[in-house]
Amino acid sequence: MHAIVKFFQKPIFYDKRLIFALWIGAALLAGLSHLNKANNYQIFKYVFYHTIEQVNLYTEYPDQYFDSNHYGPLFSIIIAPFAVLPDFLGIPLWEMVIAATLLVAIYKLPMSWKGKVIIYWIAMLEVYLNATNSQTNTLIAALIIGAFICIKSEKDFWAACFIMLGLFIKLYGIAGLAFFFFSKHKPKFIGYLFLWGIIFFILPMVISSPQFIVQSYADWYESLMLKNTLNTGSVYQNISAIGLIQKVLGLTFSNLIILIPAVILFALQYIPVKEYRNPVYQYGLLASTLIFIVLFSTGSENSTYIIAVTGVAIWFLIQKKPLNKYLLILFVFTLFLTLFANSDLIPAFIRREVIRPYSLKAFPSLLVWLILVYQLTTFRKASGKELSGHYLPANKAEER
């Protein structure tokens, strides 16, 4: 392990130009690799055209793509600049822009460059995998981190924008409200949330009609309820703590039996009120939020783990150094199973008969989250023993 760490401490691995080029290059390569089979991108593109034509956004259109759309009407505006381009331009540009959002969000985090480098290298493979499937999870992670950054820097107007944008695209963005108590301007923040909510609700009407968009929101709700039902028994969906528990036990029961205790555990993290201004605590809650939304959503799939992996990386950064050997083993195990659960590094039989049917990809992230919940709930007691601000800069110059 010491030799591996020493190898990756070479200056080339910290070179900003190399990291940025590989990050965007991975997205470009992934986009070019599926020009002729970009089903998800076709779904995205036709959200724009179907909104203009005012035809149901959530009906299946087998002549255009398989599966169905599960994104909000606002997505028609987001995808518009790419949808009007030929696919050979629109697809790679879309993948690069989506990848760039998380690249910038991590870069803007107020932490040392070394800390950002660790996140970049850990998340890079997941960025590539998301781009090969034309997924928006990279953008969702960026919006949540962006909301966190803006609240910390007292830019509540933009924090509210990022939260509501994520909400109107894929619901996950609402997780940014986890940082509400860090805001120093709570009444204004609430007002901004309503303002952006109104803007994003109305915006798709610019290319359609008020009646169609209002109906589309109702259709969106119905499609999400149906998708939640279908996800429960899916091998490729519900790769979450919910799916893990239900599949291992071999029982089907209401998701609320798992969700309610999970929400209570998440709420317990707010107990140390006096630590809300502590950067280590704040980063801990950011990590917890990123992991939580993946673990407790039936819509979680392999590509969704770009969000959780970013959270796990941040959790790793706030652990006291030298890292407890058991936490180090858990960290390595989490990265290995999360990043390579579907790769040839794991025998096909194990992937097919063990990991996939029981949603075991969620297991190490669940362990990390439970440990983090304990660390934050007991923060005042644990902070001196287990948590550290080693990668959090004392001044602006240390961030780059």
Side-chain angles (χ1 to χ4, degrees):
M1 180 60 69
H2 177 71
I4 294 173
V5 172
K6 188 175 181 180
F7 176 77
F8 283 105
Q9 286 179 340
K10 293 182 178 181
I12 189 171
F13 293 107
Y14 292 84
D15 187 88
K16 190 180 300 182
R17 292 166 298 180
L18 173 66
I19 292 172
F20 288 4
L22 289 175
W23 187 279
I24 299 301
L28 173 60
L29 178 63
L32 293 174
S33 71
H34 66 261
L35 287 177
N36 298 320
K37 51 182 180 179
N39 183 72
N40 283 341
Y41 181 79
Q42 298 305 316
I43 295 175
F44 299 163
K45 181 174 76 173
Y46 279 103
V47 172
F48 170 69
Y49 288 109
H50 291 163
T51 301
I52 293 176
E53 296 164 4
Q54 299 188 37
V55 296
N56 195 310
L57 300 180
Y58 305 98
T59 297
E60 293 187 3
Y61 295 92
D63 293 338
Q64 297 168 346
Y65 50 78
F66 65 87
D67 204 350
S68 57
N69 170 48
H70 298 292
Y71 289 80
L74 178 67
F75 195 70
S76 61
I77 301 296
I78 305 300
I79 195 66
F82 308 93
V84 297
L85 297 173
D87 283 356
F88 74 89
L89 289 176
I91 293 174
L93 282 174
W94 167 257
E95 305 304 350
M96 287 191 293
V97 169
I98 291 297
T101 61
L102 185 56
L103 176 77
V104 173
I106 294 171
Y107 187 71
K108 292 293 184 179
L109 278 171
M111 66 167 56
S112 67
W113 174 243
K114 185 177 181 180
K116 296 172 187 178
V117 166
I118 291 172
I119 301 175
Y120 281 135
W121 284 111
I122 288 174
M124 195 174 296
L125 177 58
E126 287 289 330
V127 169
Y128 173 77
L129 294 176
N130 265 263
T132 59
N133 292 294
S134 286
Q135 296 284 358
T136 59
N137 299 301
T138 310
L139 171 62
I140 298 302
L143 290 174
I144 294 171
I145 293 173
F148 172 81
I149 295 169
C150 288
I151 289 176
K152 277 181 63 67
S153 57
E154 298 187 50
K155 298 176 181 177
D156 294 55
F157 179 79
W158 292 113
C161 175
F162 293 147
I163 290 170
M164 298 309 290
L165 182 60
L167 171 65
F168 277 82
I169 291 175
K170 202 179 178 181
L171 297 186
Y172 282 166
I174 197 67
L177 287 177
F179 319 126
F180 174 79
F181 294 108
F182 300 161
S183 172
K184 297 179 181 178
H185 313 282
K186 294 179 180 63
K188 283 187 178 181
F189 185 35
I190 294 172
Y192 293 146
L193 288 170
F194 279 104
L195 174 63
W196 282 111
I198 293 169
I199 291 172
F200 291 144
F201 185 88
I202 295 174
L203 197 54
M205 298 177 189
V206 173
I207 61 172
S208 187
S209 70
Q211 296 82 1
F212 175 75
I213 295 302
V214 170
Q215 180 59 49
S216 292
Y217 281 110
D219 295 339
W220 186 28
Y221 173 80
E222 291 181 6
S223 77
L224 292 177
M225 293 301 100
L226 176 60
K227 186 174 186 290
N228 180 65
T229 302
L230 296 175
N231 286 344
T232 302
S234 174
V235 173
Y236 297 99
Q237 301 283 338
N238 201 13
I239 305 176
S240 63
I242 297 172
L244 171 69
I245 294 169
Q246 291 180 339
K247 293 171 184 177
V248 168
L249 294 179
L251 300 172
T252 301
F253 46 80
S254 172
N255 296 336
L256 292 176
I257 293 176
I258 300 171
L259 280 175
I260 291 174
V263 171
I264 292 173
L265 284 175
F266 192 90
L268 290 177
Q269 296 174 119
Y270 292 98
I271 287 177
V273 176
K274 293 182 179 179
E275 305 299 333
Y276 286 1
R277 297 283 178 258
N278 188 312
V280 179
Y281 171 85
Q282 292 175 343
Y283 274 90
L285 192 65
L286 171 61
S288 178
T289 302
L290 292 169
I291 300 170
F292 177 88
I293 61 176
V294 176
L295 285 178
F296 299 101
S297 168
T298 59
S300 293
E301 51 192 347
N302 284 310
S303 57
T304 315
Y305 275 78
I306 178 62
I307 303 172
V309 162
T310 305
V312 170
I314 294 171
W315 168 78
F316 171 75
L317 293 178
I318 62 171
Q319 301 304 305
K320 192 170 183 179
K321 308 300 181 286
L323 197 66
N324 176 295
K325 66 178 181 179
Y326 297 109
L327 293 182
L328 179 59
I329 291 171
L330 174 59
F331 176 66
V332 174
F333 173 58
T334 301
L335 292 186
F336 178 79
L337 189 56
T338 304
L339 297 177
F340 303 112
N342 294 296
S343 77
D344 291 337
L345 291 176
I346 297 177
F349 174 81
I350 295 177
R351 296 199 311 267
R352 186 177 61 251
E353 303 296 332
V354 180
I355 295 176
R356 201 173 292 157
Y358 297 103
S359 296
L360 288 182
K361 184 171 181 174
F363 179 64
S365 293
L366 177 60
L367 292 181
V368 168
W369 184 72
L370 290 173
I371 290 171
L372 180 53
V373 168
Y374 172 77
Q375 290 177 328
L376 294 181
T377 302
T378 61
F379 185 82
R380 295 184 66 185
K381 185 182 296 184
S383 57
K385 298 179 181 179
E386 300 174 8
L387 302 179
S388 166
H390 181 73
Y391 293 101
L392 308 186
N395 56 65
K396 290 286 183 182
E398 295 180 26
E399 294 181 20
R400 295 174 174 82

